[in-house]
Amino acid sequence: MILIVDDKRENILPLKKILELHRLESEEAVSGEEALKKTLQKNYSLIILDVQMPGMDGFEVAEALAGSSRTRDIPIIFLSAINKEKRYITKGYESGGVDYITKPADPDLFILKVKTFLKLYHQQTELKDVRDLLAKEIEIRKDTQENLEVKVAERTAELQQKNQELELNNHELQQFAWVVSHDLKEPIRKIEIFVKLIGERCLNDEANGPFYVHRTILAAERMNNLINDLLAYSRLSSPVESETCDLNEIVAEVNTDLEHLFDEKRGTIRIHGELPEVIGVPSQLRQVFQNLIGNALKFAKSDTPPEIDIVADRVDALDFQAKSNPDGAYHRIIVKDNGIGFDQEYTEKIFTLFQRLHHKDVYEGTGIGLSIARKIIEKHQGLITGESKDGSGASFIILFPLTPKEDI
């Protein structure tokens, strides 16, 4: 909307007609006072203002409009037939006008200027709206960021508190486990000793005496093994300093420890090539290979000597099926045997605490060994899985990162 201000209506009419021809809406005011009242009631995109008027002249109206935040950005075109001198034109610009046209005005030039200033005004208005929106958006984001930082700080403090409580509870649990293990082991040792004495001194004339004594001693040994395995599992929660470990040396130590089983079952073990060096905890990695190699001997076929093959390569990804790459970021170790195997659908079950696929009277064990192996490998930021077919041997695959991302 355009406002035309002139004290003579005969001057306003031709201007309105020109604007109408170009589909531009306009209103009129016949005095400076009336113009100021109208600008308070309605928003205008342009004001065409006569200079010479009774009461408030055009310069005074322009200065009044410039003093208000509501109207100071409205473009003003001064239109005058009398005040054509340079000093009046200069005053018009100083009063806040964007142009000064002298009468008689050329209609084409007049409408060209009107459209130009209307376009500039609308662009400035849009720019101001965008600027205001951006300012609001920045303020909102700032508030959101501040709130988020407060929430993050609160959540971090809460997690730190929880972590301290967990560490304390874990420490107390470990202490409790050691105390309980000592208290449990002591009566078990006495049971074993006294049962042996009973068998040697009191049951020589009983036909089934030695059998019952043997079963009791085996039960006590299983209880002792279970306590030891549970303690080993609980100790894995404690942080341990890592170092460079040569798996060739670790496997050789395990073979020495299990030498009597290899001799008893006429088993063989073959290491294909060199095993790598990894970053880890030697005692824990020794426990992994002792469990895997020990299981291969334990779950051997009754009519076939156990054969164990260990092979190592490098792969690009933490993926059991990844292709070999001598420059890969992960070590892959495969421990394969020719034993009784297991059904592939039970892969996850064998790594679960206390889970067994065979009765303890047929195959000894506590059902914790592979759970310990998985927990150790996961602490070393790796993965372990098993592949098998029932009756066709088993393969256990381990993945290690060359460079762990954090402490073990």
Side-chain angles (χ1 to χ4, degrees):
M1 180 67 71
I2 299 171
L3 179 63
I4 304 173
V5 185
D6 197 309
D7 62 310
K8 296 179 180 179
R9 295 188 182 276
E10 61 268 24
N11 293 335
I12 296 176
L13 185 59
L15 296 178
K16 288 180 66 71
K17 291 296 182 181
I18 294 173
L19 295 176
E20 287 175 5
L21 288 173
H22 291 272
R23 298 180 181 177
L24 296 174
E25 295 183 5
S26 64
E27 290 185 351
E28 60 186 71
V30 294
S31 68
E33 293 81 0
E34 184 184 0
L36 292 178
K37 290 180 181 178
K38 287 199 169 186
T39 57
L40 294 176
Q41 299 168 354
K42 187 177 291 188
N43 294 324
Y44 294 98
S45 303
L46 178 67
I47 297 176
I48 301 171
L49 184 58
D50 185 29
V51 173
Q52 192 70 30
M53 291 186 297
M56 293 183 71
D57 63 20
F59 299 139
E60 292 173 330
V61 173
E63 290 172 355
L65 292 173
S68 170
S69 59
R70 174 182 170 83
T71 57
R72 64 187 173 197
D73 293 327
I74 303 174
I76 298 172
I77 298 177
F78 284 107
L79 197 60
S80 178
I82 301 173
N83 300 322
K84 299 181 181 182
E85 297 177 17
K86 182 178 179 180
R87 61 189 179 91
Y88 290 111
I89 297 175
T90 301
K91 187 176 180 180
Y93 283 111
E94 291 175 347
S95 301
V98 295
D99 206 347
Y100 196 104
I101 301 175
T102 58
K103 299 177 182 178
D106 180 88
D108 294 332
L109 182 60
F110 170 73
I111 199 64
L112 180 62
K113 290 188 175 186
V114 166
K115 288 183 176 181
T116 299
F117 289 119
L118 282 175
K119 184 177 181 180
L120 287 174
Y121 177 77
H122 290 145
Q123 288 176 342
Q124 288 176 349
T125 303
E126 290 175 1
L127 185 61
K128 182 177 180 298
D129 292 341
V130 171
R131 188 170 60 247
D132 292 342
L133 285 174
L134 285 175
K136 290 180 180 178
E137 179 70 17
I138 291 171
E139 190 65 28
I140 292 171
R141 291 194 178 190
K142 184 179 178 181
D143 292 341
T144 303
Q145 179 71 19
E146 290 175 353
N147 292 334
L148 182 60
E149 288 175 357
V150 170
K151 289 182 179 179
V152 168
E154 291 174 352
R155 183 59 176 162
T156 300
E158 181 182 342
L159 290 175
Q160 288 174 341
Q161 177 67 25
K162 294 289 184 183
N163 188 52
Q164 291 175 355
E165 292 175 2
L166 286 173
E167 288 181 356
L168 179 61
N169 292 339
N170 186 52
H171 179 67
E172 292 175 348
L173 182 61
Q174 288 179 354
Q175 289 182 322
F176 174 77
W178 282 108
V179 172
V180 171
S181 69
H182 180 271
D183 292 344
L184 286 175
K185 281 186 171 184
E186 183 60 28
I188 290 173
R189 281 194 293 268
K190 289 182 178 178
I191 289 171
E192 289 180 296
I193 292 171
F194 286 125
V195 169
K196 286 180 181 178
L197 289 174
I198 291 171
E200 292 172 357
R201 300 180 183 181
C202 306
L203 297 178
N204 291 329
D205 297 332
E206 291 287 335
N208 293 325
F211 172 74
Y212 293 137
V213 168
H214 179 66
R215 291 294 297 272
T216 304
I217 291 174
L218 287 179
E221 289 178 351
R222 282 199 299 270
M223 174 66 80
N224 192 54
N225 291 335
L226 179 59
I227 292 172
N228 288 333
D229 284 349
L230 282 172
L231 284 173
Y233 190 83
S234 68
R235 279 197 297 269
L236 295 178
S237 299
S238 302
V240 184
E241 188 173 350
S242 58
E243 59 184 80
T244 301
C245 309
D246 188 339
L247 294 186
N248 296 286
E249 295 178 1
I250 288 176
V251 171
E253 292 173 4
V254 171
N255 291 345
T256 301
D257 293 341
L258 299 177
E259 187 175 3
H260 65 289
L261 282 177
F262 276 102
D263 293 340
E264 178 186 326
K265 299 205 172 187
R266 295 177 291 114
T268 58
I269 184 168
R270 294 183 291 268
I271 299 175
H272 301 266
E274 287 289 318
L275 298 181
E277 291 184 342
V278 300
I279 305 298
V281 183
S283 60
Q284 293 183 3
L285 295 176
R286 188 179 302 113
Q287 199 167 10
V288 170
F289 284 96
Q290 185 151 347
N291 281 328
L292 296 181
I293 295 172
N295 281 351
L297 295 171
K298 182 193 305 181
F299 297 108
K301 295 177 182 177
S302 58
D303 57 349
T304 305
E307 296 180 358
I308 304 168
D309 292 277
I310 303 179
V311 62
D313 63 351
R314 294 261 291 272
V315 294
D316 285 325
L318 202 62
D319 181 356
F320 298 114
Q321 306 302 323
K323 293 183 179 180
S324 295
N325 181 352
D327 298 320
Y330 297 89
H331 294 294
R332 178 168 58 190
I333 316 293
I334 301 176
V335 180
K336 184 178 181 181
D337 64 55
N338 63 339
I340 62 173
F342 58 88
D343 194 320
Q344 189 68 40
E345 68 175 295
Y346 297 118
T347 300
E348 281 303 309
K349 185 176 181 180
I350 64 175
F351 289 102
T352 305
L353 205 62
F354 301 120
Q355 292 296 320
R356 303 167 54 95
L357 300 184
H358 308 282
H359 196 274
K360 65 178 181 295
D361 291 338
V362 182
Y363 294 99
E364 296 180 356
T366 60
I368 302 178
L370 287 178
S371 300
I372 291 175
R374 169 171 277 186
K375 190 167 184 178
I376 290 172
I377 297 302
E378 288 177 348
K379 278 179 66 68
H380 286 69
Q381 299 161 40
L383 296 176
I384 182 172
T385 191
E387 294 181 353
S388 178
K389 289 184 179 179
D390 201 9
S392 301
S395 294
F396 287 90
I397 308 170
I398 304 171
L399 295 175
F400 286 108
L402 265 68
T403 307
K405 296 181 180 179
E406 55 189 29
D407 293 335
I408 293 172

